[in-house]
Amino acid sequence: MSVVTRGPKVGPCNICGTTGPLTEDHIPPKGASRLSQVAMMNIVDLLSIQRPNKSTRYSQDGVKYRTLCKKCNNERLGRGYDPTLIALANDVRAYLNSTLHLPAQLRAKTKPNRLVRCVVGHLLAHGVGEHRAGTMIDRLTDYFLDESLSFPEELKLYYWVYPYNDQVTIKGSAHSVRYWDSFAVFMLLKFFPLSFFFVLDEPANWRIPFGRLDTMLTKSIDDEAEITIDFTNFPQQRWPEAPGESGMVMHGDGATGAIPRTS
């Protein structure tokens, strides 16, 4: 099944639900990722060794979906939240690209409440016609639109360095560490140089050894904090979208990947 990225020219916004002209949202925002010309495909094809091209869609300007109204795209994301993610991504990218011998960890100052809402907004933009399409998405939509709301308590948000030149965007897949035992629904955004992993109702027996952003969130949108970027502790490239030796992942049609276009 081919990747569908262009919603109707006029329709309901994926985030606020307002019906009107729709605009293209870059996922992640311009300036946060270095991908330009990309081949987009569903996650099954991305994970295939041979990478069949039956689902491939080409884009000249990164991963983008026509799903958001102008207010959500330009005002809420573009002016409100995107600058925070772009600044953090640039700091981490500069660290990775440095030829100097640097410490294994970076303490980066950011505004976590804006950072998380930025990632949430772009994940909500992923997928055509998906306004309030499920409990997890509903809770994150409320959180994005109302800055007075706390991050949903049933969710955890992990982050880590992603030093690979591709992208994965997943909006509602299910992961199990041991086949049919202890499933959890997750959302995922991975691009050079960062990964963001939302887990709904994480099973008690899971032990995810990465930093969390949800524990740093406050009520004030502009509160600042230092987060630790660890350049030694990150998983293999295809976790969590591919299972481990004893695990299982179930993906819906909206799980996608993108790689640089080579021809």
Side-chain angles (χ1 to χ4, degrees), residues 90-159:
N90 285 339
D91 287 346
V92 177
R93 187 180 299 113
Y95 202 92
L96 286 169
N97 291 335
S98 175
T99 58
L100 301 175
H101 182 69
L102 298 173
Q105 292 184 337
L106 168 68
R107 297 285 291 176
K109 183 176 289 187
T110 189
K111 295 181 178 180
N113 304 291
R114 289 190 181 275
L115 174 65
V116 171
R117 281 184 168 85
C118 179
V119 178
V120 167
H122 288 291
L123 277 169
L124 293 175
H126 176 71
V128 173
E130 294 193 1
H131 173 60
R132 294 191 176 276
T135 301
M136 187 177 185
I137 294 173
D138 290 354
R139 294 296 306 277
L140 287 172
T141 299
D142 292 338
Y143 170 74
F144 178 88
L145 291 172
D146 188 346
E147 291 183 351
S148 70
L149 290 182
S150 299
F151 188 76
E153 61 181 11
E154 66 271 28
L155 289 174
K156 293 181 180 178
L157 173 53
Y158 296 91
Y159 70 99

Side-chain angles (χ1 to χ4, degrees), residues 8 27 49 62 78-79 107-108 123 133 138 162 177 207 223 238 257:
I27 307 173
I49 295 176
R79 288 196 286 273
R107 297 285 291 176
L123 277 169
D138 290 354
Y162 189 70
V177 174
R207 296 291 185 270
D223 280 352
R238 290 294 168 231

Side-chain angles (χ1 to χ4, degrees), residues 5-188:
T5 62
R6 297 179 68 83
K9 292 183 178 180
V10 177
C13 172
N14 261 23
I15 297 180
C16 70
T18 301
T19 297
L22 296 178
T23 62
E24 289 185 326
D25 177 57
H26 287 81
I27 307 173
K30 281 186 173 181
S33 171
R34 66 183 181 186
L35 285 181
S36 53
Q37 294 188 354
V38 298
M40 298 175 58
M41 61 196 73
N42 67 49
I43 198 68
V44 174
D45 285 347
L46 179 71
L47 298 178
S48 169
I49 295 176
Q50 296 181 341
R51 283 183 178 163
N53 60 11
K54 62 184 179 181
S55 73
T56 301
R57 180 183 181 90
Y58 296 103
S59 172
Q60 298 297 318
D61 193 19
V63 175
K64 54 189 178 182
Y65 282 75
R66 187 168 66 194
T67 56
L68 297 188
C69 68
K70 290 183 179 179
K71 183 176 181 64
C72 285
N73 196 354
N74 300 334
E75 295 181 26
R76 292 185 168 118
L77 281 169
R79 288 196 286 273
Y81 304 139
D82 285 355
T84 304
L85 175 58
I86 292 170
L88 179 62
N90 285 339
D91 287 346
V92 177
R93 187 180 299 113
Y95 202 92
L96 286 169
N97 291 335
S98 175
T99 58
L100 301 175
H101 182 69
L102 298 173
Q105 292 184 337
L106 168 68
R107 297 285 291 176
K109 183 176 289 187
T110 189
K111 295 181 178 180
N113 304 291
R114 289 190 181 275
L115 174 65
V116 171
R117 281 184 168 85
C118 179
V119 178
V120 167
H122 288 291
L123 277 169
L124 293 175
H126 176 71
V128 173
E130 294 193 1
H131 173 60
R132 294 191 176 276
T135 301
M136 187 177 185
I137 294 173
D138 290 354
R139 294 296 306 277
L140 287 172
T141 299
D142 292 338
Y143 170 74
F144 178 88
L145 291 172
D146 188 346
E147 291 183 351
S148 70
L149 290 182
S150 299
F151 188 76
E153 61 181 11
E154 66 271 28
L155 289 174
K156 293 181 180 178
L157 173 53
Y158 296 91
Y159 70 99
W160 60 85
V161 171
Y162 189 70
Y164 307 104
N165 195 31
D166 60 36
Q167 181 173 324
V168 175
T169 313
I170 293 174
K171 188 178 176 182
S173 292
H175 187 105
S176 174
V177 174
R178 292 189 301 274
Y179 295 116
W180 294 102
D181 180 46
S182 303
F183 270 96
V185 175
F186 70 91
M187 296 171 67
L188 177 69

Side-chain angles (χ1 to χ4, degrees), residues 161-224:
V161 171
Y162 189 70
Y164 307 104
N165 195 31
D166 60 36
Q167 181 173 324
V168 175
T169 313
I170 293 174
K171 188 178 176 182
S173 292
H175 187 105
S176 174
V177 174
R178 292 189 301 274
Y179 295 116
W180 294 102
D181 180 46
S182 303
F183 270 96
V185 175
F186 70 91
M187 296 171 67
L188 177 69
L189 178 59
K190 298 167 60 173
F191 60 94
F192 180 81
L194 292 165
S195 292
F196 299 94
F197 180 43
F198 296 76
V199 184
L200 174 65
D201 294 329
E202 180 183 322
N205 61 335
W206 282 27
R207 296 291 185 270
I208 300 177
F210 308 115
R212 284 172 57 185
L213 286 172
D214 58 292
T215 58
M216 306 182 69
L217 299 177
T218 61
K219 285 287 188 178
S220 178
I221 191 67
D222 283 314
D223 280 352
E224 292 187 341

